Structure formats: C-alpha cells, structure tokens
Amino acid sequence: MNWALFRPTTGVRAFGLATASGLALFASQAFAQQAREAPSAAAQDEPDLQTPAASPVTTDAPAPADEQQIGFAADNLNYDTDSEIVVAEGNVAMNRDTISMRADKVTWNRKTGEVVAEGDVAIKNPEGDTAYGDRIVLTDSLRDGVVENLLVVLDNGARLAAVKGTRFDNGNIELENAAYTPCPVEDAAGCPKKPSWQIRAVRVLYDRTKNKVRYKGARVEIFGLPLIPLPGLSHPANSEAGSGILVPEVRVDRTNGFEFALPYYLRLAPDRDLTITPHLYTGAAPMLEGEFRALTDIGSFRINGYATRSSVVPLVGAPTRSTKEFRGYLESAGKFQFDPRWSLTYSGRIASDRTFMRRYDISRDDRLRSTFEVERIGGQSYLSIAGWATQTLRVNDVQGQQPVALPIIDYRQRLDDPWLGGQFELQLNTLAIGRTAGQDTQRAFAGARWDLRGLTGLGQEIALTAMVRGDIYHSDENLLTAIPGYRGKSGWQGRGIAAIAADMRWPFIGELLGGTQTLTPRIQVVATPPLKNLDIPNEDSRAFDLEDSNLFAINRFNGYDRFEDGARITYGFEWNYSRPGFNINTVIGQSYRLSDKPSLFPNGTGLTNRTSDIVGRTTVAYRDFLRLTHRFRLDKDNLAVRRNEFDATIGSQSTYAVLGYSRLNRDILLLGEDLQDREEVRAGGRVAVARNWSLFGSAIVDLTGKKDDPSATSDGWEPIRHRLGIAYDDDCLSIALTWRRDYIDTGDARRGNSFSFRIAFRNLGF
C-alpha cells in the first residue's frame, strides 16, 4: 500500500514531507536545502527534534591539490607516521572533491581509509546538502558512512531526526528510529515544546535507483499520542507528487448514517492527476466520487463527478416507487488562453435529480448554471460569444420553463480619437433564448454612446451622456409566461431608443472632529422619448428593485429588455467622514419623474409613482475591528421602512461575530415573481477560548409570517439551519468537530442532525 505524500495545490490534505529529499542522506537530491542548525546532544533511543543546536562553522576548508587528496584546516593537527593516523582538533575543516566537513575533532586512519568526526559535525556535498550529527564515521571519499544522533533542520523550518543514519556504497540510505515534523518545536519564548504532530518510523529506507522513500512501522503522532498508523507509507524522494491514499474524511448525519470517505490520489503525468474517493455509508448505498485535473499549454480544466444507485424520494408526497436508480452529479470548469487576445472560459453543472446534492451535502444551491464564453479583448474593442443553461432544483419550478441562452454575442468598439471632446463607443448585441415548455425570444440591437467628463472652475464634476439604440425582437408561445408584464407581443417587434443625461457632483471638503468630511450633493437629469416597453418581451430585466446602486443609472433596469423612458430628475448627496482608522460613508437619494409610468415598474419596487421612494446606504468601518453596512428604502408618503438590511462584522481575526438582518415590506397585495415580502436574521461567529482553541457557530432563522406572506407556512420564527463546532488551529495542524441541524425536508434530503470531523496537516505536500 502506498500513501500519497504530495498532491499539487491541496497539500494540507495529504500526508507528506515539505521536501521529500530531506530523507535522502548524502544523496544527490537536495537533502537539507541550507540547513541552519547542528545538534550537540548524545545519541538517544528516540530521535530528538528539539536538540539544542550550535551555529554551523563558516570558515571554508582549503581546496585539495587534486581529486585524490584531502585538505585539512584545524587549530591543532597531529600525524603519527607509524600508524598513519591523522588527528585534527579545534574548528576542523576537511575537504575532498568539493565535499566538505566540519567538526570539533577528526581522526583519519590513512591505512583503513576510515574518517571519524566528532562534536558538532556538519558535512556538505556538492549539491549544497548539509547534515549534522554527534559522531559520523565515513570513508575517506567522504561519501559513505554512518551518522549517529542525526538532526536536519530544513530551510522551511521542518526537522528530520534519527538515532542512526547509514549511507551504503550503492547510494541507498537507511535511517533508524526516525522522526519528521514541519511544526515548531519551540514556543514564542524560545522554550522547548512538543510539535503538534510528527511522523515517526522504526526505519526509513531510501532507494536511490527507484528514487523512492519507504517507511517501516510509521505512524502519525498528534500532541504526542500515536493516533494514525501508516502501514506501507512511501513516497518519491523529490518534490514530485506520488500516487497514494489521502487523509480520510468522517461524517455522521440522519439521512445517510455514518460516512467514511477515503480518497486515492493517482498521478497520471506531471500535468495530470486523478483522485478517486469511495464514500461508504451505514444508511445508504456506497457512492463513488472522481476528480480529474489537467494543465495544458494554453490553460487548465477540471472534471468532478459523483455516482451512486439509490431510490429517489419525491419533493412532495410519499414515494411512488422504491426501485433504485442511477443518481449523480457532474461539474467541470476550465479556462484556455489561445493568444494574448483570445480566450475561452467554461463551467458546467448538472445533477440527476433535485435532491441529490442536498442529500449528500455536496451543495445547497437551488439552481445549477452552465456557461461558456469566448472572448477577444483588443486595445479599443471587445467581443464576447457566450451561452448558458440553467437546471432548477427548486420545488415548484418547472424545468421546461428554464431558459437556454445560445448564443449571446456582444461586440463593442471605442473610437481612438475623442469626438467633441468625449469618448464614443459602438455596440452590437444579439441574444437567443429557448425553452422546451415556455416562451422563446430572439433579440438583436445596435447602439452608440457618447460620454464626456470634466471639471468646472468651481470644482463641479460634470458628466454628459448621449445614446441611441435600435432593437429588433421576435418571440412566440408568449402565453406560456405566467406574468403578463413579462410576455410582450408575439411575432416581430421593433423599438428605437434615444437618451440624453447630465450628471453633476459638487464636493465640499472640510475638517470635523479631528478628521476630514466631504459632502457631495449630486443631481442628474435624464430624458428619453416615450417607448412601448410592454410590447417587448422581458427576459433580462426582471426582479427589479430601487436601491442605492442603481439610483443614478441612466437605465435603472438591470438588463436591456426594459428601458426607463420619459424625463426625470434624480437628486441626493454623499457624505464621507474619515480619520485615521475610522470612516463613515452615507449615500441617500430620490428621483422625480415628469411623466407617470405606473405600468412600467411593478408595485412594490419604489418607482411606481412619479416620486420614488427614498433609498440610501450607510457604511461604518473602524480599523479591522468593525464594518457595518445598512441599506434602506423609505416610503415616499409616510416614511415607512420598505426595505431594511443590516450586515455587520465585529471582532478580531480569532474572535468575531457576523450579523445580518433583512426585511422587505413592499406594501402590495398581489405578489409577483421575486417580489414577496421576506424577513430573515443571520448570525455567525467564532470565539477563541484558548491559545489555539475556538468555538464557532452560525444560524439562519426565517422571520416571515402570514402578515408578510399569506402563503407562508411558518409562524414568524422558523429556523432554517444552524451549526456549532469546536476547532483547534495552529501553524501546523487544524482539527474541527462540527454539529449541524437542518429544519427543512426536501425530498430525501431530510431534516435532522449531522456531525463531521475534519483534520488537516499543514505544511505538507508540494
């Protein structure tokens, strides 16, 4: 059995060494990469990762006269001509064939060729590898020998220790009673401490021919406890990834019971790999997961999939059949750069049924979107050819009503030279949307836009905009669209759009309470001839709501199918106050339309009448400790709160709280698509309870009652889900135990408790 030591980009999951060649003592691979410390304690039964170290000697040994001679440099040198024994003491430097050694004392028997180095020994090979030991016995080639009480400190801080290390004539290495850890072995005060985790082995063997490192009797110790045995552990003796088993994952939930997942990483090539993960359950059939990743000369891509056979429980009602069938999920994403201008990006997601992903806790998305886009980005031009499709996982949505957009083509060209001092841009756009059981729509338009920006002598910021656009639409099966305002007229329809706008901002700056405040009044005038908007199908301008982000937009709809016509004035101001470490920013505004367009904007959006609701946003930030954002919409008639959103992040990196509250009170009787009243509260956070321990949790509660939504089934306090957990995190190890509870059944994704345990060994892998 092989255990994978390296996995590109996901090293925290795999068992392994920061530099695998650190085990290859005196081998041609990088051994210590400029090791920094040397041991001074006597050899022990177990390797000592905390041995006090002396600074390596820095004086270079004299170069040998030729490859067959050894050069010496020492404070004292004695040579017995009868026994031919050379004894060098005091800062000994020994050199032969670019291999150097330092020690307190070196005894060289010229008859036997044995070299014995003692006391803070350091030996370096031509590749720059350095090893330290109390006593090293070598041949006079300085290549083969035995090291006692070995300690290697790698340049990334990782340590390798062994009671004894032996290098054989064939280049193989053997370490006895070895230990490895990338974790700190000293605390902040410099006192010794046990590493968070380490790998211990009875024996470590390095096979130079196969470039492989094998372990016998290996185990992972966490906090000094031998918890995870690693039988048959092996890995390549370099920085390349190796095939093998990765860290397992364990979960328990009500639907599937106990889950055990054991990933196997298969290295296919330097630029390709495959991870196969069987998932075993006590309450469900096994599931197989696979992930393939690849790098090419022009980009990268990945494919991930799940597959099993189990019965499907319908979203509502009792099961109608108990036979098992194929269930699964497939996703893929990638990007390719063909040349500096042309690129391709894609992302695809598809599931066999609506509850598969929730049941196996893969994702809680209620829609799966697949897209592709080919782009060309030039100096003054842009071309996009794209498409997308959506698979709905919502309970009441009809899949045949979901649109497929193919193709979407958008081309833009800016003129190099300014026209009347402003920037001139041309645009061509086309879109085709099809449905298997719904309305089909095709659209094409051509437009031009001119923008001029500048400053007056009084400091006002002026922006002038003029645009024209011609649209052509074709649609059929319009009556299949449920909301009449979105249908438009079937057949061919045309529309011409022209708009002019003037926008002025006038900032005033001054001092306030030791800081700087900026008050910026803003006014905008937009004029557009009357348009027959409702004759045009509405595919991309739905779910509209007035807010601070679109208040001053020329077209306040979020797409092309609807364009706000008539003349209007928008006014407001922005106030900003800042001082070191503290900032407040507020935006508030309103608009007045000269003509009444009650049919253009749905009720509850804040723009139905001539005078709009008042919208605004306030953001408060204090250093990295506090960030608070409040968005609101006030009724123009009685200042009732129609939208109230609050988000805050408070605390430090180790102890913090994330709070959120949302309420929509549109004051409308007929609820349209995406216009229902809602109320929700969200909370999450983490509390540090010790140096490396923390408690964490989160919760979402639906506060919507029948007063807000007559179709609501909750009583105004309906928990959605929450989780609680405890975690340990340091520079080397991460452990988390989490309990989560869901309160909503969706098909075979049942409400109930689930538990997960995760462990990640950091500083592992390549």
Side-chain angles (χ1 to χ4, degrees):
M1 179 186 299
N2 292 330
W3 295 74
L5 270 281
F6 299 96
R7 188 185 184 198
T9 73
T10 56
V12 295
R13 294 180 54 197
F15 290 113
L17 304 182
T19 305
S21 56
L23 296 176
L25 182 61
F26 312 135
S28 59
Q29 288 77 10
F31 177 32
Q33 300 184 11
Q34 300 177 358
R36 296 190 296 266
E37 301 181 68
S40 59
Q44 304 173 13
D45 292 337
E46 289 190 352
D48 185 2
L49 292 165
Q50 296 176 318
T51 304
S55 300
V57 181
T58 58
T59 304
D60 292 333
D66 55 56
E67 294 184 356
Q68 303 302 319
Q69 293 183 345
I70 292 181
F72 272 111
D75 294 341
N76 297 299
L77 184 64
N78 296 315
Y79 177 53
D80 189 331
T81 56
D82 295 333
S83 60
E84 294 193 43
I85 294 178
V86 179
V87 178
E89 294 180 293
N91 295 322
V92 182
M94 187 174 179
N95 185 302
R96 179 171 186 176
D97 190 19
T98 70
I99 298 177
S100 61
M101 182 177 66
R102 304 297 177 85
D104 292 340
K105 179 181 178 181
V106 173
T107 303
W108 176 27
N109 190 325
R110 299 192 63 183
K111 290 183 178 180
T112 63
E114 182 183 75
V115 177
V116 179
E118 299 172 285
D120 290 338
V121 184
I123 184 169
K124 179 181 291 187
N125 68 6
E127 289 76 21
D129 309 334
T130 305
Y132 299 106
D134 287 342
R135 186 173 186 270
I136 299 179
V137 180
L138 302 168
T139 62
D140 56 10
S141 65
L142 302 187
R143 294 181 180 272
D144 309 318
V146 177
V147 184
E148 295 180 0
N149 193 29
L150 171 68
L151 173 63
V152 177
V153 181
L154 307 182
D155 64 351
N156 60 6
R159 295 183 176 222
L160 173 69
V163 171
K164 183 179 179 181
T166 304
R167 187 186 192 281
F168 302 99
D169 292 339
N170 59 3
N172 291 350
I173 308 297
E174 179 177 294
L175 303 180
E176 298 180 14
N177 291 334
Y180 166 82
T181 183
C183 307
V185 296
E186 293 181 348
D187 58 20
C191 300
K193 72 169 186 176
K194 282 286 187 180
S196 300
W197 68 267
Q198 60 181 316
I199 296 178
R200 286 189 178 272
V202 175
R203 186 170 297 172
V204 182
L205 304 174
Y206 164 67
D207 190 324
R208 183 182 183 121
T209 303
K210 298 181 179 180
N211 197 32
K212 197 83 168 178
V213 177
R214 292 183 173 87
Y215 296 77
K216 292 185 178 180
R219 66 188 185 276
V220 173
E221 294 186 358
I222 302 177
F223 303 126
L225 301 176
L227 298 179
I228 305 177
L230 303 175
L233 173 65
S234 66
H235 61 82
N238 51 34
S239 59
E240 295 182 355
S243 301
I245 297 175
L246 304 178
V247 179
E249 299 181 6
V250 177
R251 285 174 41 86
V252 178
D253 63 48
R254 179 187 175 188
T255 304
N256 301 316
F258 179 82
E259 175 188 354
F260 180 77
L262 187 63
Y264 183 85
Y265 174 75
L266 181 62
R267 178 177 168 85
L268 304 176
D271 55 359
R272 290 190 178 29
D273 60 35
L274 174 66
T275 303
I276 300 175
T277 307
H279 296 258
L280 304 178
Y281 307 93
T282 59
M287 182 174 67
L288 187 64
E289 176 190 358
E291 181 185 33
F292 175 77
R293 302 182 303 176
L295 293 172
T296 69
D297 293 338
I298 59 174
S300 64
F301 68 94
R302 60 180 289 271
I303 303 173
N304 190 33
Y306 299 78
T308 186
R309 288 187 62 84
S310 64
S311 57
V312 180
V313 177
L315 296 173
V316 294
T320 57
R321 61 187 186 278
S322 60
T323 57
K324 293 185 177 181
E325 57 186 66
F326 172 82
R327 304 182 70 188
Y329 168 68
L330 181 66
E331 68 175 355
S332 180
K335 182 170 184 178
F336 303 93
Q337 192 74 41
F338 303 110
D339 60 36
R341 296 183 181 272
W342 286 94
S343 66
L344 167 65
T345 304
Y346 80 91
S347 174
R349 306 176 71 191
I350 186 172
S352 60
D353 55 81
R354 302 195 185 199
T355 61
F356 175 80
M357 299 182 67
R358 276 204 58 187
R359 170 170 181 172
Y360 294 99
D361 201 24
I362 299 171
S363 171
R364 295 189 171 272
D365 294 340
D366 58 3
R367 291 174 179 172
L368 303 181
R369 189 179 177 96
S370 300
T371 67
F372 83 90
E373 184 174 24
V374 178
E375 289 183 292
R376 184 189 185 277
I377 302 177
Q380 296 292 329
S381 65
Y382 173 77
L383 172 65
S384 169
I385 303 174
W388 50 261
T390 301
Q391 179 186 7
T392 182
L393 305 181
R394 295 185 174 185
V395 175
N396 299 319
D397 284 358
V398 179
Q399 182 59 47
Q401 292 280 351
Q402 305 307 308
V404 176
L406 186 69
I408 308 169
I409 302 175
D410 189 61
Y411 175 75
R412 306 185 187 206
Q413 177 69 55
R414 288 182 178 177
L415 301 186
D416 293 332
D417 298 326
W419 189 68
L420 297 178
Q423 181 69 57
F424 196 78
E425 180 180 282
L426 303 174
Q427 181 181 9
L428 299 174
N429 183 281
T430 182
L431 166 69
I433 288 181
R435 296 176 176 88
T436 58
Q439 178 176 329
D440 298 332
T441 303
Q442 299 84 43
R443 176 193 75 202
F445 71 76
R449 175 167 173 158
W450 174 80
D451 289 283
L452 173 64
R453 298 181 182 274
L455 293 174
T456 68
L458 296 177
Q460 295 127 335
E461 301 176 32
I462 304 294
L464 302 177
T465 301
M467 62 164 292
V468 293
R469 202 178 85 194
D471 302 347
I472 298 177
Y473 281 80
H474 179 269
S475 60
D476 53 28
E477 300 187 73
N478 300 57
L479 294 179
L480 295 178
T481 296
I483 299 178
Y486 294 161
R487 295 172 182 169
K489 292 184 178 181
S490 61
W492 292 94
Q493 303 294 330
R495 178 177 63 179
I497 300 174
I500 57 173
D503 194 327
M504 185 191 74
R505 296 161 51 97
W506 196 352
F508 297 89
I509 303 176
E511 296 182 357
L512 177 66
L513 300 176
T516 302
Q517 67 168 334
T518 304
L519 179 64
T520 307
R522 182 176 182 181
I523 186 169
Q524 179 195 62
V525 179
V526 181
T528 302
L531 301 174
K532 295 182 179 180
N533 272 291
L534 297 184
D535 293 345
I536 302 299
N538 183 2
E539 296 283 4
D540 65 4
S541 300
R542 305 181 182 185
F544 171 82
D545 205 356
L546 182 65
E547 56 186 21
D548 64 283
S549 62
N550 60 15
L551 177 65
F552 287 93
I554 294 178
N555 180 27
R556 292 187 283 197
F557 286 99
N558 53 349
Y560 294 112
D561 293 338
R562 289 287 180 268
F563 198 97
E564 186 177 358
D565 56 357
R568 70 177 186 269
I569 300 174
T570 305
Y571 44 87
F573 69 87
E574 178 181 358
W575 180 73
N576 187 83
Y577 171 73
S578 62
R579 58 179 301 170
F582 183 73
N583 179 263
I584 302 177
N585 182 267
T586 295
V587 177
I588 188 170
Q590 187 182 36
S591 68
Y592 177 78
R593 195 166 45 240
L594 302 181
S595 59
D596 195 6
K597 289 285 183 178
S599 59
L600 179 60
F601 297 98
N603 289 330
T605 60
L607 276 174
T608 306
N609 299 320
R610 289 191 175 189
T611 303
S612 75
D613 287 348
I614 302 170
V615 297
R617 171 190 50 79
T618 298
T619 301
V620 179
Y622 175 67
R623 300 187 185 274
D624 295 330
F625 180 78
L626 170 67
R627 184 172 183 84
L628 184 152
T629 301
H630 178 233
R631 290 183 173 87
F632 63 89
R633 177 160 63 87
L634 303 179
D635 192 290
K636 65 184 184 309
D637 296 322
N638 56 15
L639 299 183
V641 180
R642 300 303 178 197
R643 177 180 181 180
N644 192 15
E645 293 187 5
F646 173 89
D647 290 283
T649 301
I650 307 170
S652 62
Q653 186 175 4
S654 58
T655 298
Y656 59 86
V658 179
L659 306 174
Y661 171 80
S662 301
R663 177 174 172 78
L664 296 176
N665 178 20
R666 300 180 184 275
D667 191 32
I668 54 178
L669 297 177
L670 299 177
L671 302 179
E673 183 181 84
D674 296 322
L675 294 178
Q676 295 87 354
D677 289 343
R678 303 292 300 174
E679 187 173 10
E680 180 183 272
V681 63
R682 306 171 299 278
R686 182 179 293 268
V687 178
V689 295
R691 180 178 178 84
N692 299 109
W693 291 91
S694 62
L695 301 174
F696 61 89
S698 64
I700 301 176
V701 180
D702 185 2
L703 302 179
T704 306
K706 292 186 179 298
K707 181 180 178 181
D708 301 313
D709 184 359
S711 63
T713 58
S714 64
D715 58 359
W717 181 268
E718 183 71 25
I720 305 300
R721 62 179 174 270
H722 66 241
R723 66 168 185 159
L724 292 173
I726 184 171
Y728 174 89
D729 286 282
D730 62 19
D731 295 336
C732 204
L733 181 66
S734 179
I735 302 175
L737 176 63
T738 305
W739 165 54
R740 191 181 70 199
R741 181 173 179 82
D742 290 293
Y743 292 86
I744 298 177
D745 290 335
T746 305
D748 54 0
R750 297 300 186 184
R751 69 179 69 191
N753 300 318
S754 63
F755 300 87
S756 65
F757 176 76
R758 298 182 183 275
I759 182 170
F761 299 97
R762 297 178 179 174
N763 303 321
L764 293 182
F766 174 66

